[in-house]
Amino acid sequence: MDIIIIRELRIETTIGVHPWERRNRQTLILDLELGIDIRPAAATDRLDDTLDYQVVAQRIGDFAAARDFQLVETLGERIAELVLREFATPWLRLALRKPGVPSGAREAGIIIERGRRD
C-alpha cells in the first residue's frame, strides 16, 4: 500500500468545552495519511487516476468550518468517517492537534487510525 500525506493542514472550527474556548473560532492542525495504490497514476501521469489531495483538504476544511464540536476526539472521528466514506480509501491515519492546550504545552491532540492497512 502506498500512502498520500497531507501535513499541517490548518482548519478553522468552533471547538472546546469551556465557554471561553467557544467564543471564537480556533485553528487546529491536521496531519493525514491515506492508503492508496498510486501505480495507476504513476503509469498515466493523470490526476484522475489518483486521490486529489487538494480536494480532500478542501472538503475537510469545509466540513470543520460548518460545524462545532466540544471534543477534538469527536471532530477527529467525524473527519475520519467522512474521508473513508467519500474518498474510498481503505486506510487512514489522522493526527489532530489543538495548539496551546493544555496551558504550558505547545499542543495537545489525538491520533486515529481506521480501516485496513495491507
Side-chain angles (χ1 to χ4, degrees):
M1 177 178 295
D2 305 310
I3 298 172
I4 290 178
I5 61 171
I6 299 172
R7 294 277 186 252
E8 295 190 15
L9 176 65
R10 285 167 173 34
I11 59 175
E12 300 284 328
T13 194
T14 301
I15 193 158
V17 295
H18 304 291
W20 57 268
E21 290 180 293
R22 302 186 66 74
R23 282 188 204 115
N24 298 305
R25 297 176 72 69
Q26 297 181 53
T27 301
L28 281 73
I29 302 165
L30 182 129
D31 295 328
L32 191 60
E33 298 177 9
L34 303 164
I36 186 170
D37 183 355
I38 66 165
R39 290 176 291 189
T44 65
D45 200 27
R46 291 174 24 98
L47 182 59
D48 291 344
D49 293 328
T50 192
L51 186 59
D52 185 341
Y53 47 81
Q54 181 62 41
V55 172
V56 174
Q58 185 66 49
R59 179 67 176 105
I60 290 169
D62 291 347
F63 175 82
R67 290 161 180 79
D68 64 83
F69 298 92
Q70 291 191 37
L71 301 177
V72 171
E73 292 86 343
T74 306
L75 175 56
E77 185 64 29
R78 296 302 173 268
I79 291 171
E81 291 168 353
L82 175 136
V83 171
L84 288 170
R85 182 180 64 248
E86 292 187 14
F87 296 99
T89 181
W91 171 85
L92 68 76
R93 184 170 194 255
L94 177 151
L96 186 59
R97 302 184 312 273
K98 189 174 179 181
V101 177
S103 183
R106 187 176 79 198
E107 59 192 17
I110 59 161
I111 295 174
I112 293 175
E113 189 168 328
R114 297 287 181 269
R116 284 185 28 143
R117 185 175 180 177
D118 294 330

